[in-house]
Amino acid sequence: MLARVGPRLLRRAQQLKCSARLALAPQRLNSGLPVNIGVLFVPQQEAWVVERMGKFHRILEPGLNFLIPLLDRIRYVQSLKEIVINVPEQSAVTLDNVTLQIDGVLYLRVMDPYKASYGVEDPEYAVTQLAQTTMRSELGKLSLDRVFRERESLNANIVDAINQASDCWGIWCLRYEIKDIHVPPRVKESMQMQVEAERRKRATVLESEGMRESAINVAEGQKQAQILASEAKKAEQINKAAGEANAMLVRAKAKAIQLLVAALAQQHGSTAASLCVAEQYVSAFSKLAKDSNTVLLPANTGDITHMVAQALGIYTTLTKTQAAKTQDEIPPAHGDPQPPSTEVLKAEQATFS
């Protein structure tokens, strides 16, 4: 009696253990194990693993298939569709000793039905456990702040680790996504305080930058105002100085004219002016060939006496009217009588000779 009860209890314990494990692991998506009736229709995107007398025989592909009843048995049914597995929530410790609760979603696909059937007892459960351990290992390398910033790289590292281990299982991991990251309440409060402090800091910095820009603008305005005021004052002084200079020049010219008139009115003044005009007339002819190659000369250029007489005649003609007007206004000067013009001509001819 005891010999019979012992094996039954053992089998019952194994069944309970297996059912508990299957309850934790997600159920595989297949259509169940069909019965071999000789003629079988395999659905699309499924692979049926057939054993003949307990040994692997072949894999049935979608469509019509024929088997030998009693000898052939459909041992495994593998779904070739993409499988979505919910990874249970787990705890992990980061590099800065913060405990996190993380869950995720795993996307798998059976690539080799033979390896998926005989390589591992429960491939989905094995991949789920591998994903959890890899997640804990990767989180231990990152700090809390980097966990939130590097979720994509974390997912890629988990996928690479799963594919390296699941190659012999005939399963390929397509992607892994982290669903939720639960932070302890105290850490969440600290993070909230950090965020608020950061926002206050940014607000203070922005306010100080605004005040600085305002002060710079005010200083620039004052600078421009002073520059414009100094330029206006400078222009005013320049204009005033130019006006005074022009006035002094006009007064000097008027005084010079008065002095010239007074000098001409004196004795021998007209003779001196005639001599000056004759000198300028003669010197003008000496400069004609220096300025241009084309020179226009009078017919009697070689007669110096005639040229001087012509210049004095022009000057006498111009001053005759003015002398007639001023003769009544200016009293005659006492002294030596004015020498005649012929004497002046003779003196000039002697000088030029």
Side-chain angles (χ1 to χ4, degrees), residues 195-334:
V195 171
E196 293 178 357
E198 185 68 24
R199 292 185 180 277
R200 287 195 299 268
K201 174 185 174 182
R202 291 166 58 184
T204 305
V205 170
L206 292 177
E207 184 179 0
S208 63
E209 290 180 355
M211 295 175 63
R212 184 186 67 177
E213 293 293 335
S214 176
I216 291 174
N217 292 336
V218 172
E220 288 290 338
Q222 294 178 355
K223 176 183 176 181
Q224 294 295 331
Q226 292 179 359
I227 291 174
L228 294 176
S230 62
E231 289 180 355
K233 188 175 181 180
K234 175 183 176 182
E236 181 182 0
Q237 293 177 356
I238 291 174
N239 294 333
K240 185 177 180 180
E244 293 178 355
N246 291 331
M248 293 175 64
L249 183 61
V250 170
R251 288 194 296 269
K253 287 183 178 180
K255 188 174 182 181
I257 292 173
Q258 292 177 0
L259 293 175
L260 180 60
V261 171
L264 291 174
Q266 293 178 2
Q267 187 178 6
H268 304 297
S270 178
T271 304
S274 300
L275 180 61
C276 182
V277 170
E279 289 179 355
Q280 293 180 0
Y281 185 78
V282 173
S283 64
F285 278 101
S286 66
K287 296 180 181 179
L288 287 176
K290 296 181 180 179
D291 297 335
S292 175
N293 295 328
T294 303
V295 181
L296 299 177
L297 297 176
N300 53 356
T301 308
D303 190 358
I304 303 300
T305 304
H306 181 73
M307 292 177 61
V308 173
Q310 185 179 0
L312 292 175
I314 294 172
Y315 176 75
T316 303
T317 303
L318 294 175
T319 58
K320 183 182 292 184
T321 305
Q322 185 68 24
K325 291 181 180 180
T326 58
Q327 186 176 3
D328 297 334
E329 298 177 0
I330 302 175
H334 298 283

Side-chain angles (χ1 to χ4, degrees), residues 122-259:
D122 193 341
E124 287 82 4
Y125 178 76
V127 170
T128 303
Q129 296 299 315
L130 181 61
Q132 290 181 345
T133 55
T134 307
M135 171 63 74
R136 286 192 291 267
S137 176
E138 293 295 332
L139 283 178
K141 302 176 184 178
L142 302 175
S143 61
L144 180 61
D145 296 334
R146 293 182 59 189
V147 169
F148 295 99
R149 292 196 304 264
E150 301 181 5
R151 293 182 64 170
E152 294 183 0
S153 61
L154 186 63
N155 295 336
N157 294 336
I158 294 174
V159 170
D160 294 338
I162 292 175
N163 288 331
Q164 292 178 3
S166 64
D167 184 48
C168 59
W169 300 341
I171 295 178
W172 186 256
C173 180
L174 301 178
R175 57 188 177 275
Y176 180 86
E177 298 292 338
I178 297 175
K179 290 172 59 178
D180 296 321
I181 300 178
H182 300 284
V183 184
R186 293 185 178 179
V187 177
K188 186 180 294 185
E189 293 177 359
S190 301
M191 293 174 62
Q192 187 66 27
M193 294 174 61
Q194 183 180 0
V195 171
E196 293 178 357
E198 185 68 24
R199 292 185 180 277
R200 287 195 299 268
K201 174 185 174 182
R202 291 166 58 184
T204 305
V205 170
L206 292 177
E207 184 179 0
S208 63
E209 290 180 355
M211 295 175 63
R212 184 186 67 177
E213 293 293 335
S214 176
I216 291 174
N217 292 336
V218 172
E220 288 290 338
Q222 294 178 355
K223 176 183 176 181
Q224 294 295 331
Q226 292 179 359
I227 291 174
L228 294 176
S230 62
E231 289 180 355
K233 188 175 181 180
K234 175 183 176 182
E236 181 182 0
Q237 293 177 356
I238 291 174
N239 294 333
K240 185 177 180 180
E244 293 178 355
N246 291 331
M248 293 175 64
L249 183 61
V250 170
R251 288 194 296 269
K253 287 183 178 180
K255 188 174 182 181
I257 292 173
Q258 292 177 0
L259 293 175

Side-chain angles (χ1 to χ4, degrees), residues 46-90:
E46 284 192 5
W48 292 2
V49 180
V50 179
E51 293 180 355
R52 176 168 292 179
M53 293 183 293
K55 185 179 179 181
F56 172 75
H57 177 56
R58 65 189 180 98
I59 298 176
L60 302 182
E61 296 183 355
L64 179 62
N65 292 273
F66 297 96
L67 295 178
I68 301 175
L70 299 179
L71 295 180
D72 296 336
R73 178 187 175 188
I74 301 173
R75 187 68 178 84
Y76 299 101
V77 175
Q78 301 290 348
S79 176
L80 302 181
K81 300 178 182 179
E82 187 173 346
I83 303 172
V84 181
I85 300 177
N86 185 22
V87 180
E89 186 178 17
Q90 61 175 333

